Amino acid sequence: MTNIRSIIQDMRSRSSRVVQDRFPAGPPSSAAAEVGVEDGMNQSCWANMPQELLREVLVKIEASESAWPLRKNVVACAGVCRSWRHITKEIVKIPELSGILTFPISIKQPGPRDSLLQCFIKRNRSSQTYYLYLSVTNGPANAEDGKFLLAARKCRRPTCTDYIISLHADEMSKGSSTYIGKLRSNFLGTKFTIFDGQPPHAGAKITKSRSTRMVNSKQISPRVPVGNYSVAHISYELNVLGSRGPRRMQCTVDAIPSSAIEPGGVAPTQMDFSLGNVDFFPSMPFLRSKSNHVETFSSGPLASQKDGVLVLKNKAPRWHEQLQCWCLNFHGRVTVASVKNFQLVASPENGPSGPEHEKIILQFGKVGKDLFTMDFRYPISAFQAFAICLSSFDTKIACE
Amino acid sequence: MASSSTSVVVSNKEKENKNTKKVTLKSSDGESFEVDESVAMESQTIKHIIEDGCANNEIPLPNVTSGILSRVIEYCKKHKEAAGESEPSVTSYTSNSTTNPLTEWDTEFVKVDQNTLFDLILAANYLDIKGLLDLTCKTVADMMKGKTPQEIRETFHIKNDYTPEEEAEVRKENQWAFE
C-alpha cells in the first residue's frame, strides 16, 4: 500500500512540476490550465473583477451578516485590499441609520435614532477593569452573549482618578493605537471630564496637560499629536433630601450641539481614526454622500461652550409609597435596585420643552453582582455612554 | 416522482403543438445555440434585442464563450421550465431556500471551479439575468464567510496592496472584530 501511495504522490508532484515548467513557455493545455489556476497564478481573475460586480457580492455579505459575531465577516472583507475596503466602507451605514456597529470607529459614532442600542458592562473588581459589550441576543443581559466593544481600567492618582478607555483590554497605554479616551474624576469624585483621544470636530482644541506628547509609533510614520480633547463634563449633586434621596446628575456634552436632538439636527460623526489633520488614506476619502451629515473636518467650530451644547440630566425617580423606595421604569432592563442606576434625558435648558426631551438617551443599571446594562441612542456614542456610566461607578455622592 | 414526469411529458407535447419560436445565440468562439425564444428571454439583454426587432438571424454574444453560454442556457431552461409548471413567483430567486424548489439544483449548478464561476458572474451581468447573478454572487459571498482577510486573499488570489499605515489600521480593526 505504501508503494502505491508513494507512486501516486510522485506522479502528482511530477505533474505539478511539469505544469509550472510549462506555464511561462506558452498557453497551457486545457488539462494543465485547471491545475495552473491553483498553482501558477499570481494575479487571478478576481483581482480584475469589475467594481460593480464586486459591489454586488459585498452588498450580499453586508446584508446577511448583520449581527455579531457574523458581522466580523464584513470587517474581514474590508481588510482584503484597497478596492474591497473602499467599497465595503461605502456600503456599511453608520449606526445612527442602521443600528448596527461594524468597524471600531462605530463606537465613536452616534447611536441609532430610532431605538436604544442594548449593551452590558462587566466589572472585574480585582483588576479594576470594566468591559463593555454589545448585546447580541434580545432579552436579559447574558454574560456570554456579547460582542466586546471597549475596556476601561481605573488608575488612581494623587489628586484624581483616571479611567483609561481602550479597544483592547490589554493595551491601556495612551500611546497605544487602541487608546480611545479617558474619564477623569476630581479628587472628591463629584465632577468628571470625558476626554477623547481624537478631535471630536473641526476646530477642537487640545487640552494642555502634562501628559500630552508626540508619539512616534512604529506603525505610523508621521508624528501625530496624541492629545486629549475634552468632550463632556459630568457633575453629581445631592438633591434636596440629601443622601437619602436620589442624586442629581448633569452631563454637559460640549462635543454635541443642542440642536442635534431637534428635528433635522445632526451630531458630529467621526469617520475614521486618523488623528488631527493627518489623512492615512489620501486616495480614498471616506466621505458620506448624504447631505445631512456633518463631516468631522468640514464642519465649522461648534457654538461656544456655555451656549447651545447638549445637556443631559437624570430623570427624577418617583417615590413609591407602598414599596417605600424611589422608582424609575427601566422597562425590564434593570433588575437590581442601586443608587448607580439612572436614566438620562435631554434637558430643555435652551428653550421650551418638546417631545425630544422625553426620549431616554442613556440608561444604566444593575442586573447582577458585577453586571450592568447600558442602553443608549443618538446623539451620543458608545464611547461617551460608557464613560458616563463609569462616572456612576466612581462617584461617592449619595452612596450609603 | 410520477406526477413530475407526467407534467414534463405534457409540457413537451404542448411545445410540439405550439410550434415555439426559436432564436439562435452565437458565442464569442463562433458556436451557435438554438433555444426557445422564451428561454432566451430570461436574459433581459436578449429580450431587449428581440423586442427591438434586431434579432434577424443570430444574436451574437461576443462577451460569452461557448462553454459559459451552454451553462447559462442550461440555467435559463431549467428556471423557465419550473416557472411554467407552477406559480411564476416560485422561481424568482428568493433567499429562503424552503420556498425555492430549485435550491438543490442551483447549488449543484454553481459547484464549478473559480474561473468558471467568475465567467458566469460576468455573463449573468452582461446578459442581465437577475436570478443567475444573485446565485453566483451569493456563492462567492459564501466563499468569503468565516475567513480572515489573509484567508480571503489566498482563496481569491488577491494581492495585499496596503501601505504600512493602512495595514496597521486593518490589523487593529480585525483584532477588535475577531476578539
Side-chain angles (χ1 to χ4, degrees), chain B residues 14-159:
Chain B
E14 279 185 40
K15 277 182 189 164
E16 289 171 49
N17 295 339
K18 268 188 182 168
N19 191 20
T20 46
K21 248 188 115 181
K22 302 226 187 267
V23 294
T24 305
L25 308 175
K26 193 160 173 193
S27 68
S28 60
D29 44 337
E31 212 178 305
S32 293
F33 297 81
E34 197 187 50
V35 292
D36 288 351
E37 192 181 85
S38 57
V39 168
M41 302 231 287
E42 288 283 289
S43 152
Q44 294 298 304
T45 306
I46 293 177
K47 182 166 181 278
H48 292 141
I49 292 174
I50 293 173
E51 284 171 349
D52 289 349
C54 299
N56 297 323
N57 305 315
E58 292 184 322
I59 300 178
L61 302 172
N63 291 358
V64 191
T65 62
S66 53
I68 297 298
L69 186 53
S70 63
R71 283 187 203 263
V72 170
I73 290 170
E74 194 190 331
Y75 176 90
C76 294
K77 265 194 192 146
K78 187 73 183 178
H79 280 250
K80 190 69 199 167
E81 247 170 50
E85 287 169 13
S86 47
E87 299 300 310
S89 60
V90 170
T91 59
S92 64
Y93 189 78
T94 58
S95 53
N96 184 355
S97 59
T98 56
T99 59
N100 184 357
L102 289 179
T103 301
E104 254 185 66
W105 189 90
D106 282 349
T107 307
E108 286 306 307
F109 180 79
V110 287
K111 280 189 181 158
V112 293
D113 65 86
Q114 276 196 23
N115 272 344
T116 306
L117 184 60
F118 180 77
D119 289 338
L120 281 172
I121 294 178
L122 293 188
N125 183 48
Y126 168 64
L127 294 171
D128 196 357
I129 305 171
K130 187 174 187 324
L132 183 58
L133 186 61
D134 278 350
L135 171 63
T136 47
C137 284
K138 183 175 182 295
T139 305
V140 176
D142 287 345
M143 282 162 71
M144 296 172 190
K145 291 179 187 173
K147 292 193 164 81
T148 63
Q150 180 55 25
E151 285 166 355
I152 296 176
R153 282 185 214 124
E154 280 163 14
T155 304
F156 294 97
H157 306 279
I158 292 174
K159 205 164 155 250

Side-chain angles (χ1 to χ4, degrees), chain A residues 96 108-110 200-202 254-257 260 266-270 293-296 299 302 378-379 384:
Chain A
E96 187 181 325
K108 302 295 291 296
Q109 297 171 333
H201 55 84
D254 305 306
I256 300 177
V266 295
T269 302
Q270 292 172 349
H293 286 291
V294 175
E295 296 301 318
T296 310
S299 64
L302 276 188
Y378 173 91
Q384 290 159 346

Side-chain angles (χ1 to χ4, degrees), chain A residues 211-231:
Chain A
S211 55
T212 306
R213 58 194 157 89
M214 302 297 271
V215 170
N216 190 9
S217 155
K218 281 171 270 185
Q219 301 155 333
I220 303 168
S221 37
R223 296 183 102 203
V224 291
V226 176
N228 275 310
Y229 301 82
S230 154
V231 296

Side-chain angles (χ1 to χ4, degrees), chain A residues 26 31-32 66 68 120 151-152 176 190 195 254 275 280 285 287-288 331 347 363 382:
Chain A
S66 55
W68 289 95
F120 61 92
S176 152
T190 53
F195 292 96
D254 305 306
L275 298 171
F280 291 140
L287 296 174
R288 293 284 156 186
H331 305 282
S347 162
Q363 175 175 286

Side-chain angles (χ1 to χ4, degrees), chain A residues 267-302:
Chain A
T269 302
Q270 292 172 349
M271 298 309 292
D272 52 63
F273 281 112
S274 56
L275 298 171
N277 288 318
V278 179
D279 188 357
F280 291 140
F281 297 161
S283 58
M284 292 190 300
F286 298 134
L287 296 174
R288 293 284 156 186
S289 54
K290 290 196 189 298
S291 53
N292 62 344
H293 286 291
V294 175
E295 296 301 318
T296 310
F297 303 119
S298 65
S299 64
L302 276 188

